[in-house]
Amino acid sequence: MKKQNTKVRTIDKYERYSEIGEMYSSKWRKVDLLIPSNFRMLCAILGVKMEDVLRDYMWMVSYAVSDGGTEKQRKAAKKFFLACQFGQPAYPEKDINAMFKELKAVRTTYNTTENMDWDDKELFWKNNHMYIEYWFKRWFEKNSRQGDISVLENY
């Protein structure tokens, strides 16, 4: 009787999470805005590009990993966002604060990956990408929204 060669093939069922899905990733967007004259003049006087102000605010308020902001700056961005009542009344301030805390936790976890070996980092990123999809869907569907999550493509 012949001995059968048995090959063991490992299958990574989480392979699709090695890269974040395009729907959940950062995107370049062309935005056409009416820039108030006072803001333009202030930026000109201070030598600051208005694009830099807007970009930095977006990265800080989202607790994005790649921003260079300080914790004080991120808190101020969050405070401004809440003071303007963005997202309310669809979500109460308590829920929006919870969203910010969760985004901060993701950022904090990312900051611990510096000394990980390659395999652990790969596992971390897959887990992170899975969590980002879960996080969005959970909050999106929390208030029994009627729309589909594909609405994210419009933002």
Side-chain angles (χ1 to χ4, degrees):
M1 196 175 211
K2 270 189 170 178
K3 192 175 184 182
Q4 290 184 342
N5 269 349
T6 56
K7 288 186 178 181
V8 176
R9 189 177 358 168
T10 58
I11 297 174
D12 184 359
K13 68 180 184 177
Y14 302 110
E15 184 177 1
R16 72 183 184 111
Y17 294 106
S18 54
E19 294 293 326
I20 193 164
E22 189 173 322
M23 185 164 95
Y24 301 97
S25 64
S26 300
K27 290 187 176 189
W28 285 97
R29 298 289 299 249
K30 296 276 185 199
V31 179
D32 190 22
L33 295 173
L34 175 63
I35 308 296
S37 60
N38 292 352
F39 186 67
R40 289 179 44 244
M41 290 185 280
L42 182 64
C43 288
I45 291 167
L46 300 174
V48 176
K49 290 184 177 183
M50 62 189 104
E51 295 90 342
D52 292 342
V53 174
L54 298 172
R55 183 189 59 245
D56 287 352
Y57 173 74
M58 289 186 297
W59 285 92
M60 282 186 240
V61 77
S62 67
Y63 284 89
V65 173
S66 60
D67 84 73
T70 64
E71 186 58 29
K72 183 178 178 180
Q73 290 168 326
R74 283 189 284 278
K75 280 183 181 179
K78 176 182 139 186
K79 187 175 180 177
F80 174 77
F81 193 94
L82 291 169
C84 291
Q85 298 183 332
F86 294 127
Q88 296 177 33
Y91 291 88
E93 187 173 335
K94 178 183 171 189
D95 283 353
I96 296 171
N97 269 317
M99 289 179 208
F100 280 122
K101 284 179 186 174
E102 291 168 6
L103 290 172
K104 182 179 180 181
V106 170
R107 180 190 175 85
T108 302
T109 304
Y110 170 80
N111 290 339
T112 66
T113 64
E114 190 175 290
N115 297 323
M116 282 184 179
D117 65 23
W118 175 251
D119 289 339
D120 289 342
K121 274 190 181 181
E122 185 178 18
L123 180 62
F124 168 80
W125 282 113
K126 287 178 184 180
N127 181 59
N128 186 60
H129 295 156
M130 286 172 27
Y131 178 74
I132 290 299
E133 287 186 29
Y134 163 79
W135 181 86
F136 174 76
K137 290 173 185 174
R138 180 173 54 97
W139 281 108
F140 184 82
E141 295 168 350
K142 181 175 178 17
N143 292 340
S144 303
R145 289 181 76 144
Q146 299 301 315
D148 186 73
I149 64 167
S150 64
V151 72
L152 179 58
E153 296 291 342
N154 300 330
Y155 288 85

